[in-house]
């Protein structure tokens, strides 16, 4: 059935794995799906060759793919990567983490190490979803009936700079700007969390703009930024006025449905040419250069520190002449300023030997996690 090698589909959540299955069926290409339990849609692969695997069971996943004679692999769909201890990792997964030191790498480092293991050690060839479905790549220009006005175009430029800056630090792929100010940037929790936060922080008047761009050093065969109907619906719910995506570097799932949803909500969707943007703005994509401004990392361990951290973030945002980004550890007050805590601050809010000793292992692990995040993000 066809001349191309059999394709293994490592399936996470969303529509992308389903679209790849449809493309294989249409072209007559042999395929097999290794669907990640708790990530992929439970009802998506009932009538096609597939197996359900745990995210931490790398050995079993590879065994399924080899048993089904897969030669090429595509990683498709959203995957929320839990901490190592929550994966219940098998021996192959543990060896991978030890060898690659993936516990302290960002998403880019993790994915590049994973590709290296699958290609160099296991003999597969990794292909990009965009090579299988090139029609899904975002194109330049306005998609629907709604067009961005000058204020929206200005906000697109601000949010693009912020998104490229955090992308260069391997933090996320998106940012929201409103009236020339960065409202929030994406972190490990993803676009949905970013939009919910932006909805809380919006200041009324013309709504903000979401920008999604690929990271400057991103391995484009995996994890290209993606939007779909759900993104449009969440953006509308957050009070945004539009979405801009990286033309040629982002995926738009079910374009016709996205346009219909955007038109119905009164939102614009536009593809932005990043090279043209850089020529126009004179900016680079290098973090800490002429991109979206400095990153400030704030750590608070209890409520008074959380309040001080929030006040500091607010003052820096008002006093800094350009965009500025924040990351760190804090509570509700810092979250109000757009700072998504690496973990719940309450895990550090302990006093006295009676409270500290039973939680010492967790506290030490969180300290290590914070230090690793600082090394990875390289804050200003």
């Amino acid at each position: 059935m066809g001349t191309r090698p059999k394709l293994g589909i490592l399936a996470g959540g969303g529509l992308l794995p389903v679209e790849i299955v449809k493309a294989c069926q249409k072209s007559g290409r042999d395929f097999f799906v290794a669907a990640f339990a708790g990530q992929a849609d439970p009802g998506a692969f009932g009538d096609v060759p597939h197996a359900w695997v745990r995210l931490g069971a790398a050995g079993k996943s590879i065994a399924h793919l080899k048993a089904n004679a897969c030669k090429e692999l595509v990683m498709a769909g959203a995957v929320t990567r839990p901490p190592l201890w929550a994966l219940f990792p098998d021996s192959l997964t543990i060896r991978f983490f030890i060898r690659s030191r993936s516990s302290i790498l960002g998403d880019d480092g993790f994915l590049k190490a994973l590709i290296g293991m699958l290609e160099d050690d296991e003999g597969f060839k990794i292909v990009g979803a965009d090579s299988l479905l090139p029609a899904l790549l975002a194109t330049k220009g306005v998609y629907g009936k709604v067009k961005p006005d000058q204020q929206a175009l200005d906000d697109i430029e601000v949010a693009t700079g912020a998104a490229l800056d955090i992308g260069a630090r391997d933090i996320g792929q998106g940012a929201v700007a409103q009236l020339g100010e960065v409202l929030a940037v994406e972190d490990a929790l993803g676009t949905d969390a970013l939009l919910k936060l932006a909805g809380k922080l919006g200041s009324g008047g013309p709504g903000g703009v979401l920008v999604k761009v690929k990271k400057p050093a991103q391995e484009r065969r995996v994890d290209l930024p993606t939007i779909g109907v759900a993104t449009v619906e969440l953006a509308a719910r957050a009070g945004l006025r539009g979405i801009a995506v990286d033309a040629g570097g982002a995926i738009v799932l079910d374009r016709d449905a996205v346009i219909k949803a955007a038109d119905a909500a009164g939102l614009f969707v536009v593809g932005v040419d990043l090279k043209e943007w850089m020529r126009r703005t004179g900016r680079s994509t290098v973090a800490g250069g002429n991109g979206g401004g400095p990153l400030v990392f704030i750590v608070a361990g209890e409520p008074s520190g959380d309040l001080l951290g929030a006040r500091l973030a607010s003052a820096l945002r008002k006093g800094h002449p350009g965009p500025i980004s924040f990351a760190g550890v804090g509570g509700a007050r810092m979250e109000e300023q757009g700072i998504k805590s690496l973990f719940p601050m309450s895990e550090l809010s302990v006093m006295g030997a009676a409270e500290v000793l039973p939680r010492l292992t967790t506290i030490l692990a969180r300290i290590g996690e914070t230090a690793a995040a600082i090394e990875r993000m390289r804050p200003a």
Side-chain angles (χ1 to χ4, degrees):
M1 295 176 64
T3 58
R4 296 196 65 181
K6 189 168 184 177
L7 180 68
I9 304 171
L10 295 169
L15 291 175
L16 186 56
V18 177
E19 291 298 319
I20 293 174
V21 166
K22 290 179 181 178
C24 288
Q25 291 173 325
K26 185 176 181 179
S27 66
R29 182 174 184 178
D30 281 341
F31 67 93
F32 178 81
V33 179
F36 294 122
Q39 308 281 339
D41 180 354
F45 310 110
D47 57 349
V48 301
H50 75 282
W52 287 96
V53 294
R54 289 192 301 103
L55 200 55
K60 187 175 182 180
S61 301
I62 290 171
H64 278 300
L65 294 166
K66 288 185 174 180
N68 284 276
C70 297
K71 301 297 182 183
E72 292 187 350
L73 300 182
V74 61
M75 301 181 196
V79 173
T80 302
R81 179 159 62 104
L84 179 60
W85 60 265
L87 285 173
F88 300 104
D90 62 11
S91 59
L92 181 60
T93 306
I94 292 172
R95 289 199 302 273
F96 165 71
F97 271 87
I98 291 173
R99 188 180 68 178
S100 66
R101 299 183 70 215
S102 292
S103 60
I104 63 170
L105 295 174
D107 285 342
D108 282 350
F110 173 82
L111 290 170
K112 287 175 182 176
L114 180 59
I115 288 173
M117 183 267 285
L118 290 172
E119 290 192 329
D120 299 339
D121 297 349
E122 302 299 335
F124 298 108
K125 179 183 177 183
I126 307 299
V127 298
D130 59 319
S131 70
L132 301 170
L133 295 167
L136 295 186
L137 277 177
T139 53
K140 180 182 174 182
V142 178
Y143 280 31
K145 298 177 182 178
V146 184
K147 298 181 179 180
D149 60 16
Q150 187 57 51
Q151 180 61 62
L153 292 173
D154 292 344
D155 286 342
I156 288 173
E157 296 211 347
V158 171
T160 299
L164 287 171
D165 188 54
I166 62 166
R169 294 187 175 97
D170 195 12
I171 300 169
Q173 300 172 319
V176 174
Q178 181 183 24
L179 299 176
E181 299 273 343
V182 178
L183 276 186
V185 295
E186 187 181 64
D187 60 13
L189 296 178
T191 304
D192 290 2
L194 167 64
L195 290 173
K196 290 176 183 177
L197 178 60
K200 296 178 182 178
L201 299 176
S203 58
V209 173
L210 167 68
V211 171
K212 291 275 289 181
V213 297
K214 70 178 183 300
K215 299 171 186 176
Q218 184 163 338
E219 166 58 79
R220 71 170 292 128
R221 288 178 293 174
V222 292
D223 197 32
L224 283 180
T226 302
I227 68 165
V229 172
T231 315
V232 173
E233 292 173 346
L234 282 172
R237 203 174 304 157
L240 302 192
R241 62 195 311 205
I243 300 170
V245 290
D246 183 355
I251 289 175
V252 180
L253 291 171
D254 199 344
R255 183 177 308 225
D256 291 341
V258 165
I259 292 173
K260 183 178 179 181
D263 286 346
L267 271 68
F268 66 80
V269 176
V270 60
V272 176
D273 185 327
L274 284 186
K275 291 182 179 178
E276 181 182 289
W277 176 87
M278 284 186 281
R279 286 195 299 269
R280 185 173 63 254
T281 61
R283 297 182 181 180
S284 75
T285 62
V286 180
N290 297 320
L295 171 69
V296 178
F297 198 100
I298 302 175
V299 179
E302 40 72 49
S304 64
D306 180 38
L307 178 59
L308 287 172
R311 289 175 176 172
L312 175 61
S314 177
L316 287 172
R317 187 174 283 119
K318 291 176 181 177
H320 192 264
I324 186 167
S325 304
F326 296 94
V329 178
R333 292 300 185 91
M334 285 171 58
E335 185 170 335
E336 289 171 0
Q337 293 297 320
I339 305 172
K340 295 298 294 184
S341 185
L342 294 176
F343 49 83
M345 186 185 71
S346 59
E347 295 187 12
L348 300 181
S349 301
V350 293
M351 295 181 64
E355 289 188 21
V356 171
L357 290 177
R359 302 171 68 178
L360 185 59
T361 301
T362 298
I363 292 170
L364 292 175
R366 291 308 196 188
I367 291 172
E369 184 178 338
T370 303
I374 292 170
E375 287 184 357
R376 173 169 60 86
M377 295 181 185
R378 299 178 184 177

